[in-house]
Amino acid sequence: MSQPLEPTTPTTAREWPLWEVFVRSRRGLNHQHVGSLHAPDAAMALRNARDVYTRRSEGVSLWVVPATAIVASSPDEKDSFFDPAGDKAYRHPTFYEIPAEAQHL
Amino acid sequence: MTTTMTARATYALRLGDDALVLSHRLGEWVTNAPQLEEDVALANIGLDLLGQARTLLTYAGEVEGDGRSEDDLAYLRDERDFLNVHLVELPNDDFAVTIVRQLLFSTYQLALYDGLTTSTDETLAGVAMKAVKEVAYHRDHATQWVLRLGDGTDESHRRMQAGLERVWPYADELFGTDDVEQSLVPEGVAVDASTLRPGWDAYVDRVLAEATLTRPEGLRTPPGGGRRGIHTESLGYLLAEMQHLHRAHPGAQW
C-alpha cells in the first residue's frame, strides 16, 4: 500500500486535540492508561478527564498527555521487537529456590 | 406547626428548587453540547445538583409534616408553587448563556453553602458540607470556559458578552432577602443572602476582567418574584417536560 510522502493535513483548527488519559486508582499503584478524550488545552483536558473517567470513584490522581507526544512501536516491527524475547525462558527468575522463611516476596 | 417550622420548610424548598430546576436545564445539554466531553461535564454538574435537590426536597417535606415526599414535591406541584430564582429557569439558549449562568449561579451557591456549613440546622449543614466540594468544581468549570471563550476569538467574545447581557439582570434576585429568610437568620438556620453580594461581586468581576468581558449595568427594577412563586414563561414548559411521565403514570418507579 502506498503511503503519502507528506503527512496528511493536520486536523483543522475547529477540532480539539486528542489527549491520552492515565488514572491512578489508589495510592501506591501506577497510573494506568484508561482511554483518550478531546480538549482545547491541558487544563481543560484534566477537567474533562475528571468528568469522563473518574466519575465513579475510579481514581485519586490523573495524568493527561497530548496524544501527539506518544511515540508508539509500529505493528510492522512487531516480529523484530518482541519475538526474540519469546524463547528466553531463563530471563524469568523461576530457577531460584525461595527460602521458606522469606515472607512477602 | 410553628411559624419557624413553616419558614424552615419554605427555605429548604427554595434551595431545593434552585438545584432541581438548574439540574433539569443542564440535563437538556446531554447529546447537544459542543463536545461529548462537555455533555458529560454538564450532566455531572446537573447530577450533583439533583442530589442536593433530593435531600432538600425530602427535608422540606418532612419539616412541612403533610406527608409529601421528594417526588410529590418535584412532580406534583404547579408552577406557582415552585420557589426557585428566575436565573435557573431561563432557557439554555446559546452555550455562552448556559456557561455564564453557571458562573453567576455557582459563585452564589458556593458562598451560600459555605455559610450554611455552620447552620444550626443539622440537615442543611450536612447538605452544605457535602455540596461545597461539588459546587467549587462547578464554579471552576464555568470559570475555565468563561476565560477561554471571553478571551478567545472575536465570535466567541461576542457571544459571551451577549450571553452575559442576557442573564445579568437576573443576578440581583439571588441576593434578595425577605421575612422568611430573615426569621431564620437570628437562630443561625439560614444565611442572609444579601451579605453574599460583595464576595460574589469580587469573584465575578475578577473573572469577567480576565476574560476581557464588560460587566453590564444593572437594571433599576430587576426582575424577580421567583421566591414567591412568580415565574417567567419558560418554567411552565420546563415543568411540563419534567413532570409529564410522573403525571401520566402516577407512582411510576424505575
Side-chain angles (χ1 to χ4, degrees), chain B residues 17-18 21 78-89 173 224-236 239:
Chain B
D17 283 349
D18 281 353
V21 171
D78 285 326
E79 191 182 341
R80 287 295 299 267
D81 301 320
F82 272 77
L83 303 179
N84 56 280
V85 290
H86 290 187
L87 181 66
V88 296
E89 71 196 41
E173 190 184 4
R227 297 294 189 217
R228 300 190 313 278
I230 315 292
H231 292 283
T232 64
E233 179 191 11
S234 48
L235 182 66
L239 294 182

Side-chain angles (χ1 to χ4, degrees), chain B residues 56-161:
Chain B
L56 289 163
L57 293 190
T58 301
Y59 182 58
E62 282 167 16
V63 175
E64 180 190 53
D66 291 341
R68 290 203 284 182
S69 69
E70 52 173 318
D71 280 359
D72 294 335
L73 289 167
Y75 295 128
L76 298 176
R77 276 182 302 152
D78 285 326
E79 191 182 341
R80 287 295 299 267
D81 301 320
F82 272 77
L83 303 179
N84 56 280
V85 290
H86 290 187
L87 181 66
V88 296
E89 71 196 41
L90 296 179
N92 288 334
D93 203 342
D94 196 24
F95 182 71
V97 172
T98 290
I99 218 69
V100 172
R101 183 235 309 266
Q102 199 62 46
L103 176 71
L104 304 191
F105 184 77
S106 298
T107 305
Y108 152 80
Q109 203 190 27
L110 183 58
L112 173 68
Y113 282 155
D114 195 42
L116 285 175
T117 55
T118 55
S119 169
T120 52
D121 183 301
E122 279 179 28
T123 306
L124 293 180
V127 171
M129 269 185 269
K130 178 165 180 290
V132 281
K133 286 188 242 173
E134 297 170 345
V135 180
Y137 189 82
H138 304 171
R139 188 180 73 163
D140 175 70
H141 186 82
T143 302
Q144 298 295 330
W145 270 126
V146 170
L147 294 177
R148 280 163 180 74
L149 295 174
D151 191 15
T153 63
D154 288 346
E155 170 71 358
S156 73
H157 177 85
R158 183 188 65 74
R159 284 165 68 172
M160 285 301 286
Q161 187 64 40

Side-chain angles (χ1 to χ4, degrees), chain A residues 50 58 105:
Chain A
R50 179 262 194 194
E58 288 94 337
L105 266 184

Side-chain angles (χ1 to χ4, degrees), chain A residues 16 38 41 44 47 50-51, chain B residues 35 37 41 137 140 148:
Chain A
W16 292 348
H38 290 93
D41 54 46
M44 290 306 287
R47 286 163 175 81
R50 179 262 194 194
D51 286 326
Chain B
Q35 290 273 349
E37 287 80 356
Y137 189 82
D140 175 70
R148 280 163 180 74

